[in-house]
């Protein structure tokens, strides 16, 4: 129960930070996705039930405020959570370079997967360009070690199953 309350608080705080970063990044055509980084950190540090749940609801939260395909963010975040749990078995996610590389690759994958979902279901998508894709992924990757450190510092680690 303690972990669930922690994650609800994390979700509320991260949603505010996400919208602040999105507003700032929109001025420079950079797609920063803080909710994605938080969902990835939760998947790295919590068990599957908590990780998948937070990732799904973080994606659903972004879908409520989006104007495109409803459910695409929830699907994208859930698929990326599965990839995080696969990576968790193979890599040491306590290492900062591993966090940076994994979040960079997953950020690019998530944008491409989201846009591919739009092409399949809506017959089109809003592409913001490669600059937005790579700079957003780079900023997500640079934010990731800070988010991981905050989770570890505050001892937000659930017991593994």
């Amino acid at each position: 129960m303690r972990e669930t309350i922690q994650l609800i608080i994390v979700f509320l705080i991260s949603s505010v930070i996400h919208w602040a970063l999105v507003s700032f990044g929109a001025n420079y055509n950079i797609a920063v996705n803080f909710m994605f980084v938080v969902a990835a950190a939760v998947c790295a540090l919590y068990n599957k039930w908590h990780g998948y749940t937070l990732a799904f609801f973080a994606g659903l939260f972004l879908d409520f405020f989006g104007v495109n395909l409803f459910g695409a963010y929830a699907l994208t975040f859930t698929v990326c959570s599965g990839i995080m749990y696969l990576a968790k078995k193979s890599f040491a996610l306590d290492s900062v370079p591993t966090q940076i590389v994994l979040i960079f690759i997953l950020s690019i994958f998530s944008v491409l997967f989201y846009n591919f979902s739009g092409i399949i279901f809506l017959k089109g998508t809003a592409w913001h360009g490669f600059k937005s894709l790579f700079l957003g992924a780079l900023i997500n990757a640079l934010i990731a070690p800070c988010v991981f450190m905050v989770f570890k510092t505050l001892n937000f680690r659930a017991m593994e199953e």
Side-chain angles (χ1 to χ4, degrees):
M1 183 66 177
R2 180 177 155 252
E3 293 85 14
T4 305
I5 293 171
Q6 285 176 348
L7 289 177
I8 291 171
I9 293 169
V10 164
F11 178 80
L12 294 173
I13 292 170
S14 62
S15 64
V16 171
I17 294 170
H18 173 82
W19 287 113
L21 289 174
V22 165
S23 298
F24 178 75
N27 295 331
Y28 303 102
N29 194 27
I30 300 172
V32 180
N33 199 338
F34 187 76
M35 293 295 280
F36 177 76
V37 175
V38 170
V42 168
C43 290
L45 300 172
Y46 282 76
N47 61 30
K48 289 183 179 180
W49 188 89
H50 289 100
Y52 281 124
T53 304
L54 184 104
F56 176 77
F57 282 111
L60 197 62
F61 175 75
L62 295 180
D63 283 326
F64 276 119
F65 294 104
V67 294
N68 290 332
L69 181 64
F70 185 78
Y73 274 118
L75 175 65
T76 302
F77 281 24
T78 306
V79 168
C80 288
S81 296
I83 295 170
M84 275 299 291
Y85 282 113
L86 288 175
K88 187 176 176 178
K89 294 178 183 176
S90 303
F91 300 109
L93 295 180
D94 292 337
S95 167
V96 171
T98 305
Q99 295 167 1
I100 290 172
V101 170
L102 188 61
I103 296 300
F104 182 79
I105 292 169
L106 275 178
S107 294
I108 290 174
F109 172 79
S110 70
V111 171
L112 295 176
F113 186 86
Y114 178 83
N115 285 324
F116 185 68
S117 300
I119 290 169
I120 293 211
F121 294 111
L122 293 177
K123 307 294 187 239
T125 185
W127 177 252
H128 300 289
F130 287 105
K131 175 188 170 192
S132 177
L133 173 70
F134 286 112
L135 287 178
L138 180 65
I139 292 173
N140 287 346
L142 294 175
I143 291 171
C146 299
V147 172
F148 277 78
M149 184 184 68
V150 166
F151 271 86
K152 290 178 186 175
T153 303
L154 296 176
N155 199 20
F156 281 0
R157 183 180 284 257
M159 297 299 294
E160 289 295 322
E161 291 179 314

